Amino acid sequence: MTVRRLLPVVLCSLVLAPAAAAATTVTAPVFDSKGRLVQTPFAPSPNAAHLTKKRALALFSHDPKVADWLARYPVAGRVDDETYDAKASSWTVKIWWGKAGEIAEGKVDDASGAVTEAWTGPQVAWKMARGYKGAFGGAKINSPWVWGAFCLVFLLGLADFRRPLSLRNLDLLMLLSPTASLWFFNHGNVFTAVPLFYPALVWVVARGIWIGATGLGSGSRTLWPAWVLLAAAVFLAGFRIGLNVQASNVIDVGYSGVIGAERIVHARAPWGNFPVEDDLKACGPADASGEIRERIQSNGRCESANPQGDTYGPVAYESYIPGYLLFGWNGKWDSLPAAHFTSIAFDLLCMLGLWLVGRRFGGMQLAAVLAFAWAAYPFTQYASSSNTNDALMPCFLIWGFWLASSPAGRGALGALSGWTKFASLVVAPLWLTYPDRRPSRRFVAAFLVATLAVFSVVLFEPSPLHELRVFFDRTVRWQVARDAPWSLWDWKQYHAHGLPDLHLVQRLLQGLLVAGAIAAAFVPRRKSPLQLAALTAALLAGFELVQTYWLYTYIPWFFGFAAIALLAPAAVRATAPEPALDADPQELDPARAAVV
């Protein structure tokens, strides 16, 4: 074929090619001469991603929060993963680095390219570090207005207005000072929140040691008469109940108490028998993160998993039995009325116990002061609104303190407290030798009897000795090896962030705590109830000071005893109570019943 013949063909193909190409991409329906649809417009899949993996990673990495954190880790050694969720039309981006593990995680919206979630450092592994509103206690107690009202009432009721610069007022401010830490915690700023709660713990330890050694209180009185404070305490008690019932939540700790109670009522020991996920058959829907928590357990019931809930002593579960018998449990992590009932009951028992303590050792005025202090203190309500088990341990100790002149009473209630959460075992030597260094055989006997009684649940299992080993592994061993970002001591895992490894300091302080617990049993030689309360507060706060895992719900552990030590007026002298029938001879000296 000649060039002259080829030229028209080439020109025709050049003209028709665009038309043909356009015809393959139809943008409107095509109909034939009879009106029948013969071709539809091309439309891309609605689930197709707009972003590539590389682009999603770049957008996430350039988020200011993420970029600041990643700058602390070398680029070499980073591993990333980008997963597209067509249903949500978003990307999940994860970044790992060496031994530090996962260091950043978040979500990128596919359509807009916006970073919708960005978690770094402890926020990756700990959802509670992300500052979700109302995660602990619900939105009401975390409201600045409600929290601020508690703080204001606490100060108005207990402050010394005659001497604004008094030590008593400083004590009150220090007890409220963890509020600043909680504010940063609620906003997901862990590295600012954690250092801010230590001053309060150090203050309680220092003041407790001083009062315990000298027997000298603050020397101040409240402005209000007893009837005003008592009326305010009753009103606040009702308000606290309403706040718990209407505007609180139940975190995993409270849920674990209900599970443990159900297991015991049905003749099973708690440890090793909690609902888990594993590969069990699902019996419920997936949650927001795609996790299915409701599974058919070995007992045949559909139950919500709480695999790490069996990490407490037996009393932490036995205390929930009345609530479980009254309200039951359907196996789900729902509103859990049994947990609400138990939290409210022990909150009120703490308040009543402090009233009785004040009535016995300081008269009606001190009774009203102590009951009001518990009712108005925001952190006791924080524990109640979170429906944790953190009021149980101090409740048993408070009632044991009321029976301070009875070695058997101290021993039995001290054991119940210690086998709830183990922290209060640190005061056992002090309570054993109260009031004047001599160990009480009645204390030891009562402690052992109470211990055997509460641990009798292991007899439900075929091999009680094996169950005791399971108990130790699931509780003591797991708690000791636990890591967490909620203290200064375990920040070594974020070493690339420039944070120091303070484990050696922690070990030193733990040694001092043990030495202090032993020393408090013998020094001073004779102790008044005020000194017993002060040293108890110091040891409990000291325990919190050196532990790795700490939360704001732990403050009530020492608060009742700190209130006794810091708020008892120096001029108050209690009429010596009648000695208990089982009192040791050295406890019969009426002079030792004085508050100071």
Side-chain angles (χ1 to χ4, degrees):
M1 185 181 292
T2 64
V3 175
R4 182 179 298 178
R5 292 180 179 180
L6 284 175
L7 183 59
V9 177
V10 174
L11 290 175
C12 183
S13 63
L14 290 175
V15 172
L16 295 178
T24 61
T25 307
V26 179
T27 59
V30 178
F31 301 89
D32 62 12
S33 60
K34 295 182 179 181
R36 292 175 296 191
L37 181 66
V38 295
Q39 193 170 359
T40 58
F42 170 78
S45 171
N47 294 328
H50 293 83
L51 302 176
T52 63
K53 288 188 174 185
K54 185 176 180 180
R55 181 58 178 162
L57 174 63
L59 290 169
F60 177 69
S61 301
H62 284 86
D63 178 83
K65 177 181 177 180
V66 177
D68 177 69
W69 190 261
L70 294 180
R72 292 160 171 80
Y73 297 86
V75 176
R78 287 188 196 172
V79 178
D80 57 83
D81 176 74
E82 300 78 39
T83 304
Y84 178 64
D85 183 352
K87 186 176 181 180
S89 187
S90 68
W91 291 84
T92 297
V93 182
K94 299 180 180 181
I95 301 176
W96 293 265
W97 184 85
K99 295 182 179 180
E102 190 177 358
I103 58 176
E105 179 178 331
K107 294 184 180 296
V108 179
D109 181 68
D110 182 67
S112 65
V115 177
T116 57
E117 293 183 14
W119 312 118
T120 59
Q123 294 177 330
V124 175
W126 299 84
K127 290 185 178 180
M128 55 192 283
R130 300 178 182 181
Y132 290 125
K133 185 177 181 180
F136 286 80
K140 286 291 185 182
I141 187 59
N142 288 286
S143 164
W145 294 103
V146 175
W147 191 275
F150 269 103
C151 293
L152 181 61
V153 171
F154 184 77
L155 290 173
L156 289 176
L158 301 174
D160 184 354
F161 294 100
R162 301 178 185 88
R163 298 185 299 166
L165 300 180
S166 65
L167 184 58
R168 180 195 186 92
N169 291 343
L170 181 57
D171 287 334
L172 297 177
L173 291 174
M174 291 304 297
L175 288 174
L176 292 174
S177 65
T179 296
S181 174
L182 180 62
W183 189 89
F184 284 103
F185 172 79
N186 285 339
H187 287 77
N189 194 336
V190 174
F191 294 117
T192 302
V194 168
L196 289 178
F197 68 72
Y198 282 101
L201 297 181
V202 172
W203 182 263
V204 172
V205 171
R207 290 283 283 138
I209 292 174
W210 169 258
I211 297 173
T214 64
L216 300 177
S218 65
S220 300
R221 283 182 175 273
T222 57
L223 175 66
W224 311 103
W227 70 269
V228 172
L229 291 175
L230 193 56
V234 172
F235 172 81
L236 287 169
F239 180 76
R240 291 164 69 94
I241 293 173
L243 201 59
N244 182 293
V245 173
Q246 298 295 330
S248 71
N249 60 9
V250 181
I251 66 172
D252 58 346
V253 176
Y255 179 39
S256 72
V258 178
I259 298 172
E262 189 274 341
R263 296 299 193 257
I264 293 171
V265 169
H266 289 86
R268 297 181 70 189
W271 309 285
N273 291 319
F274 263 50
V276 296
E277 293 182 47
D278 296 335
D279 296 324
L280 301 178
K281 181 181 178 181
C283 56
D287 58 20
S289 62
E291 182 180 8
I292 301 177
R293 300 187 62 88
E294 296 175 8
R295 305 276 181 168
I296 302 297
Q297 304 298 319
S298 59
N299 58 6
R301 278 167 48 100
C302 178
E303 296 178 345
S304 299
N306 189 2
Q308 298 299 334
D310 56 343
T311 59
Y312 304 107
V315 184
Y317 308 111
E318 293 160 345
S319 298
Y320 283 79
I321 291 178
Y324 170 76
L325 293 176
L326 284 172
F327 298 99
W329 172 53
N330 64 5
K332 308 298 177 60
W333 192 342
D334 50 20
S335 60
L336 295 170
H340 286 271
F341 172 84
T342 305
S343 295
I344 293 171
F346 275 88
D347 186 58
L348 294 177
L349 285 171
C350 285
M351 200 181 309
L352 176 61
L354 286 171
W355 184 84
L356 291 172
V357 166
R359 185 74 180 86
R360 181 176 187 182
F361 296 114
M364 186 59 72
Q365 183 66 29
L366 183 58
V369 165
L370 295 180
F372 173 85
W374 184 276
Y377 192 51
F379 287 100
T380 57
Q381 181 57 41
Y382 186 74
S384 176
S385 289
S386 300
N387 288 284
T388 70
N389 56 15
D390 292 297
L392 276 62
M393 186 189 82
C395 182
F396 291 118
L397 280 184
I398 288 169
W399 284 81
F401 186 87
W402 179 54
L403 300 175
S405 62
S406 168
R410 294 196 315 271
L413 288 163
L416 293 180
S417 177
W419 299 126
T420 302
K421 288 195 168 185
F422 310 118
S424 62
L425 293 176
V426 74
V427 306
L430 169 65
W431 283 40
L432 168 66
T433 58
Y434 176 79
D436 60 359
R437 294 186 179 180
R438 300 180 185 180
S440 169
R441 287 174 293 181
R442 294 186 180 91
F443 177 97
V444 174
F447 190 98
L448 291 176
V449 169
T451 298
L452 291 174
V454 299
F455 274 97
S456 62
V457 295
V458 302
L459 299 177
F460 293 143
E461 300 301 319
S463 175
L465 289 179
H466 173 73
E467 184 61 22
L468 285 175
R469 288 194 295 270
V470 175
F471 157 77
F472 180 81
D473 290 338
R474 299 292 297 171
T475 58
V476 178
R477 179 171 293 176
W478 187 81
Q479 294 282 7
V480 169
R482 197 176 188 183
D483 63 346
W486 317 120
S487 68
L488 296 173
W489 317 122
D490 202 37
W491 280 4
K492 72 179 183 67
Q493 58 185 303
Y494 310 108
H495 199 82
H497 185 59
L499 303 173
D501 184 352
L502 298 175
H503 267 141
L504 289 179
V505 178
Q506 182 188 24
R507 298 292 180 263
L508 174 62
L509 292 177
Q510 288 171 340
L512 289 176
L513 175 66
V514 173
I518 297 173
F522 303 103
V523 180
R525 185 176 184 276
R526 293 184 177 180
K527 301 177 183 70
S528 68
L530 178 70
Q531 290 171 298
L532 178 63
L535 292 173
T536 298
L539 290 172
L540 292 174
F543 185 94
E544 295 187 31
L545 188 68
V546 302
Q547 68 178 8
T548 299
Y549 192 99
W550 186 91
L551 284 178
Y552 304 92
T553 58
Y554 297 175
I555 293 177
W557 294 4
F558 64 78
F559 173 73
F561 296 95
I564 297 170
L566 299 176
L567 301 178
V572 170
R573 291 293 187 273
T575 301
E578 291 296 324
L581 295 178
D582 63 343
D584 286 340
Q586 65 265 26
E587 295 187 75
L588 300 182
D589 182 2
R592 295 175 195 172
V595 174
V596 292

